[in-house]
Amino acid sequence: MSFTTLGLREELLKAIKELGFEKPMPIQQKGIPPLLKGEQDFIGLAQTGTGKTGAYGLALLQRLDLDNPKPQVAVICPTRELCLQIADDLRGFAKHLPRVTVVPIYGGASIVQQLHQLHRGAQIVVATPGRLLDMIKRKAANLSKVSCVVLDEADEMLNMGFKEDLDAILESMPKEKRTWLFSATMARGVAEIAKHYLSNPLEVTVGGKNQSAENITHVCHVLHEKHRYQGLKRIIDFAPEIYGLVFCRTRSETQAVAEDLMQDGYLAETLHGDLSQAQRDSVMRKFRQKTIRILVATDVAARGLDVDDITHVIHYRLPDDAAIYTHRSGRTARAGKSGMSIALVNLREIYRINEMEKRSNIVFQRRKIPNGKAICEKQLFSLVEKIVQTDAGSAEIEEYLPAVMETLSAFDKKDLIKRFVSAEFTRFLDYYRHAGDINVDFRSERSDRGDRSDSPRYPSRNERSYSSARPPARSHRAPESENSQRFMLRFSGRMNHVNKGAIIRMVCEKSGIASQLITGMDLQQDHALFSVDKRVATQVLKSVQHAKLDGKTVQIEAVMDEKASHKRHPRD
Ligand code: AMP
């Protein structure tokens, strides 16, 4: 199928050609014709990297009334990065149309300039929910005449606690508009939004519901906790051309892993919630330019991170939620390419791989971490390939060649090759010379504990011996009392701009946990109560203490008896 059969106007086809898109991606093939007709609301279940911006962007540009300067379309997305990316993509598609005004509106940047841009006219507003709502309240963004709203990465917006803001935004728009919703997963909250705000939607799924992209290879390595960092290094060393993301669970771990990698000579940097916007922009610029090859990030900080060509996503620690795993791994294998998603797990975590397989239809290949010999071989051949590919005609070295030739003239060809390769290669040879096997032999570990399974490999999903060995399954949303810890967050004074979403975002940003682990939020004037999964309780307590909310410091404490705590701390 080609773009010309989709019914797009000449100007758009010309821009597509210039962008180098040869044929429409599946979501574009299936989505563009019905979106152009505009007869129905639309749900597109598609990962990032599947071309969904093109699907809705081309359709909404064709439907735009070019003579009307008022806001006609709002695209709402979770993060500043994504917002800027979408606005850029739309401008690229609209290159040959008479002037189309696209204005990105996002938090964390000067509101004055954005107000000015809105004032000058915006046919398409691309926005993050919090700032957009602010603009609506200030009457700076008038969305009362929009004919179409796109919710991009709806599941991420809900994960970030934007439900209330989204509700308020959608309520402010005309009832008869079209709503196009895109999400990687049909999580419960997304289904609720769809039920509430979409009427008779057409649903198009690319790559299977709640399923990871097809061209991702999912791999799991089992090791002892003490070998986790070594395991990471081996994976990186085994992939000489790696351009990867490493996910950790907390800011401090992210920082520590990145620092260790840098110290060990890798082109690595860290991305987490403590970085200022300028630091974040600088890290992202270096990563996009590939002067950094490995970015170590928390889930929260990596939201909206939209980079092509990622070869590896490494889960230094697994997330709590299969949906987050899907999001993480969806950063690779974009635009039809292939990629690897690699999880490092210790013995106590293996059962979670099984759980994940059940919940998300992902099948992990249980592979051994490469040993020193395999890594050295891989590096050696990569070096040889690099030498073959090197352009030897550079004029700059020409003037030094006679002297170099003179010095090396005593060696024959074979000797020379050996010396060059050894010089380049010594780092790996030295490091891995005495490196042992860090794989955990799952079978022998289990048999120490009385498991008599004879299976010589890590049992995969649906295998009885494996299921019997793992701890009893835990439901993700644990019952409040047993598996969760209640916290009280005290505010020092009146909070003017705090809603539940803002608290959830602050807790997630500070502690690096997923928003799904926060439940039962009760917001009062001077405090908020909420529960978190017990597994992350200490992490939350440590990282949220003295954090800032609405510009003021908060205090957090664990609540053992909620009634008693209410007595101690009466409401105003
Ligand atoms: P998206 O899912 O919209 O973020 O798109 C992911 C990447 O695919 C972006 O870099 C797009 O420029 C690229 N892309 C979108 N549509 C096509 C296409 N039809 N052919 C090739 N690349 C595409």
Side-chain angles (χ1 to χ4, degrees), residues 199-257:
S199 74
N200 185 29
L202 174 70
E203 192 174 311
V204 167
T205 303
V206 175
K209 271 185 205 179
N210 293 341
Q211 200 177 346
S212 231
E214 283 155 11
N215 37 358
I216 301 176
T217 308
H218 298 271
V219 171
C220 131
H221 296 299
V222 187
L223 35 59
H224 285 297
E225 187 56 42
K226 64 179 178 205
H227 290 139
R228 197 180 286 272
Y229 177 69
Q230 279 184 44
L232 172 67
K233 277 180 52 162
R234 288 192 186 194
I235 292 166
I236 297 173
D237 289 343
F238 195 64
E241 297 306 318
I242 192 168
Y243 180 48
L245 280 171
V246 176
F247 281 98
C248 298
R249 294 266 303 253
T250 61
R251 280 169 304 145
S252 54
E253 185 170 68
T254 307
Q255 184 83 42
V257 170

Side-chain angles (χ1 to χ4, degrees), residues 3 21 23-25 28 48-54 306 308 334-335:
F3 274 107
F21 297 178
K23 59 183 181 56
M25 294 171 81
Q28 295 162 354
T48 61
T50 49
K52 62 189 163 57
T53 320
D306 190 39
D308 286 345
R334 292 166 58 89

Side-chain angles (χ1 to χ4, degrees), residues 433-559:
R433 184 159 288 131
H434 304 295
D437 182 3
I438 57 169
N439 289 284
V440 174
D441 181 350
F442 184 82
R443 186 182 55 124
S444 63
E445 291 281 337
R446 301 295 344 162
S447 54
D448 288 348
R449 298 169 194 196
D451 181 0
R452 307 219 156 264
S453 159
D454 283 323
S455 165
R457 61 200 166 88
Y458 305 132
S460 70
R461 71 179 173 149
N462 303 334
E463 286 182 346
R464 262 174 196 287
S465 57
Y466 191 45
S467 334
S468 63
R470 72 176 216 262
R474 271 201 267 184
S475 104
H476 172 60
R477 280 194 182 263
E480 288 273 314
S481 51
E482 262 179 52
N483 294 330
S484 64
Q485 170 65 55
R486 198 115 178 105
F487 283 113
M488 176 181 280
L489 197 67
R490 291 178 194 277
F491 311 147
S492 56
R494 201 178 171 77
M495 297 278 179
N496 293 318
H497 299 102
V498 168
N499 58 16
K500 291 179 184 175
I503 297 175
I504 291 172
R505 283 193 294 283
M506 183 276 286
V507 174
C508 292
E509 248 162 48
K510 287 287 161 200
S511 62
I513 69 165
S515 60
Q516 289 91 332
L517 298 180
I518 304 175
T519 50
M521 173 81 66
D522 174 13
L523 178 60
Q524 302 294 339
Q525 273 180 357
D526 60 351
H527 72 277
L529 288 153
F530 62 90
S531 305
V532 302
D533 190 300
K534 264 201 175 133
R535 286 173 292 181
V536 295
T538 319
Q539 199 172 315
V540 168
L541 188 64
K542 274 196 200 150
S543 49
V544 172
Q545 195 62 272
H546 306 306
K548 287 241 159 87
L549 194 61
D550 196 20
K552 297 186 186 105
T553 308
V554 294
Q555 304 256 354
I556 185 169
E557 62 187 67
V559 177

Side-chain angles (χ1 to χ4, degrees), residues 330-512:
R331 310 277 181 206
T332 184
R334 292 166 58 89
K337 297 188 187 118
S338 56
M340 302 267 285
S341 175
I342 303 178
L344 292 174
V345 291
N346 67 24
L347 278 167
R348 261 172 294 167
E349 294 165 335
I350 305 175
Y351 78 98
R352 298 195 33 225
I353 291 285
N354 241 20
E355 265 188 3
M356 200 103 74
E357 289 185 320
K358 269 203 229 128
R359 275 185 203 175
S360 53
N361 285 339
I362 293 167
V363 180
F364 284 88
Q365 297 179 15
R366 283 120 173 105
R367 287 196 197 160
K368 296 225 170 211
I369 295 180
N371 61 23
K373 184 165 182 287
I375 292 169
C376 288
E377 269 174 26
K378 193 79 180 257
Q379 287 286 343
L380 178 61
F381 288 112
S382 161
L383 172 64
V384 172
E385 183 57 28
K386 227 182 259 168
I387 293 174
V388 172
Q389 300 294 338
T390 299
D391 175 10
S394 160
E396 285 88 46
I397 59 165
E398 230 20 80
E399 63 175 295
Y400 306 107
L401 277 184
V404 174
M405 295 285 195
E406 170 75 32
T407 318
L408 298 178
S409 61
F411 303 105
D412 69 10
K413 183 177 163 189
K414 197 170 158 199
D415 207 15
L416 262 183
I417 293 176
K418 261 165 90 180
R419 280 168 190 267
F420 267 100
V421 171
S422 311
E424 274 284 326
F425 195 49
T426 312
R427 180 165 80 95
F428 284 100
L429 278 180
D430 283 351
Y431 181 76
Y432 284 113
R433 184 159 288 131
H434 304 295
D437 182 3
I438 57 169
N439 289 284
V440 174
D441 181 350
F442 184 82
R443 186 182 55 124
S444 63
E445 291 281 337
R446 301 295 344 162
S447 54
D448 288 348
R449 298 169 194 196
D451 181 0
R452 307 219 156 264
S453 159
D454 283 323
S455 165
R457 61 200 166 88
Y458 305 132
S460 70
R461 71 179 173 149
N462 303 334
E463 286 182 346
R464 262 174 196 287
S465 57
Y466 191 45
S467 334
S468 63
R470 72 176 216 262
R474 271 201 267 184
S475 104
H476 172 60
R477 280 194 182 263
E480 288 273 314
S481 51
E482 262 179 52
N483 294 330
S484 64
Q485 170 65 55
R486 198 115 178 105
F487 283 113
M488 176 181 280
L489 197 67
R490 291 178 194 277
F491 311 147
S492 56
R494 201 178 171 77
M495 297 278 179
N496 293 318
H497 299 102
V498 168
N499 58 16
K500 291 179 184 175
I503 297 175
I504 291 172
R505 283 193 294 283
M506 183 276 286
V507 174
C508 292
E509 248 162 48
K510 287 287 161 200
S511 62

